[in-house]
Amino acid sequence: MIKKLSALLLSALCVCSLTACGSNPELTKFKNEMDSFCTSISEIDSAINSVDPEAEDAVEEVLLLLDKLDDEFSKFAEFDFPEEYDYLEELADESSDYMTEAVEHYHEAYSNNSYNEYVAEYAQENYSRAYKRVQIIITFLHGEEPTDVDLTTT
C-alpha cells in the first residue's frame, strides 16, 4: 500500500510542476493548491514510512497519520478546478469519499486492541480506489488520456 503511494506521489509532484500557470490567476491558484496537496501527501507518506512497526504506539501513530491524509483528501475535494478541468471535480470528490471510507475502516480494523483482517482488506480496497482516482486526475492534467479508466479495483 505505502510503496504504491510513493510512486503515485512522485507522479503527482511532477504534474504539479507541469500544471499550466502564468497569467491566468485561476490556473495559478489551482497549481498552487495542487502543489500544496502533493507536498502534504508526500510528507504524510514519509511519516507513515518512518513509523517503527515494532513501536508500542505504531498503530495509533499510523491511524493519526491516516486521519491527516483523509483531511488532505477532503481539502482536495474542495478545490475549485479551472473550467477546462471541471470534468475532474467529481473524481476528486469520489477520491475523498473513498479515502474517508478507508480511514474509517482502518480505525475499525485496529479497534479493541485487535486486528480484523477482513475490515482491513475493505479499507485497503477503498484506499486503492481513492488513489486510482487521483492517478486518473494526474494523467488528465498531464494532457494524456488514461489507458486504464476502470475505476473499480479487485
Side-chain angles (χ1 to χ4, degrees), residues 8-9 11 16 18 40 47-48 51 77 83 87 105 107 109 120-121 149:
L8 179 63
L9 292 176
S11 175
C16 293
L18 295 175
S40 295
I48 289 173
V51 172
E83 185 176 324
Y87 63 98
H105 282 85
H107 278 276
E121 286 176 9
V149 293

Side-chain angles (χ1 to χ4, degrees), residues 30 33-34 36-38 41 69-81 88-96 130-131 133-138 141:
F30 180 69
E33 289 174 334
M34 286 298 296
S36 178
F37 174 71
C38 294
I41 298 304
L69 187 64
D70 186 30
D71 184 52
E72 290 302 318
F73 270 74
S74 293
K75 291 176 189 174
F76 178 56
E78 296 299 318
F79 286 4
D80 184 21
F81 282 60
L88 298 173
E89 282 193 51
E90 186 175 335
L91 283 177
D93 294 342
E94 288 177 11
S95 180
S96 175
Y131 273 100
R133 280 148 180 81
V134 171
Q135 191 173 33
I136 289 170
I137 290 169
I138 289 169
L141 292 177

Side-chain angles (χ1 to χ4, degrees), residues 94-103 126-127 129-130 133:
E94 288 177 11
S95 180
S96 175
D97 292 343
Y98 278 121
M99 185 56 70
T100 297
E101 187 79 8
V103 171
N126 282 287
Y127 186 92
R129 288 176 179 166
R133 280 148 180 81

Side-chain angles (χ1 to χ4, degrees), residues 7 67 73 88 93 102 110 116 118 122 131 134-135 146 151-153:
D67 289 338
F73 270 74
L88 298 173
D93 294 342
Y110 288 98
N116 185 319
Y118 300 109
Y122 180 73
Y131 273 100
V134 171
Q135 191 173 33
L151 293 177
T152 60
T153 57

